[in-house]
Amino acid sequence: MFKKIEQGIFSTCSKPASATAQWWNTFVRIKDDKENIIPFVQCIKCLSIFAYESCKTGSSTRKAHAESCLGGSSPTSRKEEQYVSNIDSHAIKDITDLFSVFKIGSEKLSADNVPTLHSVLPWFYKFRKSCEIKATDRPCIAQLRKKLLKKLDANLWLTDIHYIATFLHPETKSLPKRNKRAKRDDISVDDVLKEFISNENLSIDDEEPYDEVIEYMKRKVNYSSGEDVLSWWKKHSCIYSQLSRLALALLSIPASSATSERIFSETGRILEARRQLLSAESLDSLVFLRNFR
């Protein structure tokens, strides 16, 4: 049929006057050599030909093709070119630069194979810093920063565990300062000891943990950038026998639920429709092998 149209044997004509569907703006009808309308239509862009009889054929195929081929039901109805030309490229760059900080931070905090709890506080400070309004900001960017900061303060609450975990990382041990919503500014020995009592069968009168916390606070520790913090504490357990136990316990806590959510999603892919007879033990073993190798 396409060759007949090319050769001029068949011709095309406009849509019927009664046709009101938007997808008709993308198609023309086809006439045979006797000028009779035949039950086919042709796309005006890609020249594809589709069978069509108004009383027998549905319109879903033509409608879907119009949306995919021309980006909408009509070449001009959605005014895509106008929308694109009106976009401020500088504003787009400012927005992507702003959100890139949150993207990188969320990826770091949702990592699977490294400790992340100690990073919550540093990234919280970075997020807040990126939300500070600058004198050179456009009004839309300043408004976006303000809204992001409001959302950040409303949805991210820091607890003593976050501050203590940051303190227990050699690279960030001097960082923990409570935010304005806290009653005190600095992490104290008592804060760490309180966490000791909740994790270990220790008495508040036990002097050993107290001495270790003081020693760790005052001592300038050697920590190589990129070194595994859990390995560092294991290596220094002879110096901080009690404090290392708390560090290993706290720093093993993930900063987010991203890892467990990924495991749940993966479990759904394992237990698909064709594997519904898997026993609970087999499913547990498969999940374990995939995630804890």
Side-chain angles (χ1 to χ4, degrees):
M1 185 178 297
F2 183 74
K3 287 185 177 180
K4 289 185 177 181
I5 294 174
E6 278 190 325
Q7 294 168 358
I9 301 173
F10 286 4
S11 60
T12 59
C13 61
S14 60
K15 67 179 181 179
S18 59
T20 57
Q22 290 289 339
W23 64 265
W24 265 114
N25 295 325
T26 313
F27 290 92
V28 291
R29 293 185 295 175
I30 300 175
K31 295 191 295 185
D32 62 16
D33 54 346
K34 296 180 181 180
E35 294 296 309
N36 296 318
I37 301 291
I38 59 176
F40 294 93
V41 292
Q42 185 177 38
C43 174
I44 61 176
K45 182 178 180 181
C46 67
L47 304 181
S48 298
I49 296 174
F50 296 86
Y52 177 71
E53 277 190 87
S54 59
C55 58
K56 296 181 180 180
T57 313
S59 61
S60 60
T61 303
R62 267 76 55 202
K63 183 178 179 181
H65 179 81
E67 291 176 351
S68 63
C69 192
L70 289 175
S73 53
S74 167
T76 58
S77 63
R78 289 172 55 185
K79 302 178 181 178
E80 286 88 351
E81 291 183 3
Q82 178 182 341
Y83 293 147
V84 172
S85 63
N86 289 336
I87 292 176
D88 185 343
S89 59
H90 297 291
I92 293 296
K93 184 180 184 304
D94 290 341
I95 292 171
T96 53
D97 288 345
L98 174 57
F99 281 117
S100 67
V101 178
F102 289 87
K103 179 179 182 295
I104 295 170
S106 63
E107 289 175 351
K108 293 288 186 182
L109 293 174
S110 61
D112 291 329
N113 55 353
V114 292
T116 53
L117 189 64
H118 66 279
S119 298
V120 173
L121 188 60
W123 276 108
F124 176 75
Y125 289 157
K126 288 181 183 179
F127 293 156
R128 285 189 61 86
K129 183 71 175 177
S130 67
C131 292
E132 292 178 359
I133 298 174
K134 302 175 183 177
T136 57
D137 281 342
R138 295 174 175 79
C140 62
I141 301 300
Q143 186 178 9
L144 178 59
R145 291 185 195 274
K146 185 178 179 180
K147 289 186 176 181
L148 283 174
L149 183 59
K150 186 177 179 181
K151 288 285 186 182
L152 187 65
D153 286 337
N155 296 302
L156 203 160
W157 283 90
L158 299 172
T159 66
D160 283 347
I161 288 180
H162 293 108
Y163 287 94
I164 294 171
T166 305
F167 166 74
L168 290 173
H169 195 289
E171 280 188 330
T172 55
K173 71 170 187 171
S174 61
L175 181 63
K177 299 282 184 182
R178 284 186 172 87
N179 58 21
K180 294 179 180 179
R181 290 174 289 180
K183 295 180 180 178
R184 293 170 293 155
D185 292 331
D186 301 309
I187 287 293
S188 68
V189 177
D190 290 338
D191 293 323
V192 181
L193 290 179
K194 185 174 72 172
E195 196 59 36
F196 254 115
I197 295 170
S198 64
N199 282 272
E200 304 283 349
N201 295 322
L202 296 173
S203 167
I204 196 65
D205 297 326
D206 196 331
E207 293 294 332
E208 186 177 0
Y210 187 93
D211 293 339
E212 287 186 11
V213 174
I214 295 294
E215 172 67 18
Y216 177 70
M217 282 181 168
K218 292 181 177 180
R219 188 170 184 174
K220 185 178 180 180
V221 298
N222 293 320
Y223 182 82
S224 303
S225 180
E227 184 179 356
D228 178 44
V229 66
L230 299 180
S231 299
W232 188 92
W233 275 107
K234 288 177 182 177
K235 187 167 62 177
H236 290 78
S237 60
C238 56
I239 303 172
Y240 309 107
S241 59
Q242 297 295 328
L243 192 58
S244 63
R245 294 171 67 184
L246 177 63
L248 292 172
L250 286 188
L251 295 175
S252 298
I253 301 173
S256 74
S257 60
T259 299
S260 59
E261 289 171 6
R262 281 194 285 266
I263 292 174
F264 280 126
S265 298
E266 193 169 280
T267 303
R269 290 191 289 272
I270 294 173
L271 196 62
E272 59 178 351
R274 293 172 296 176
R275 307 180 78 182
Q276 292 295 310
L277 295 179
L278 275 175
S279 66
E281 293 77 11
S282 297
L283 179 61
D284 184 64
S285 299
L286 287 171
V287 172
F288 182 85
L289 289 171
R290 284 198 177 195
N291 295 281
F292 302 102
R293 285 178 288 186

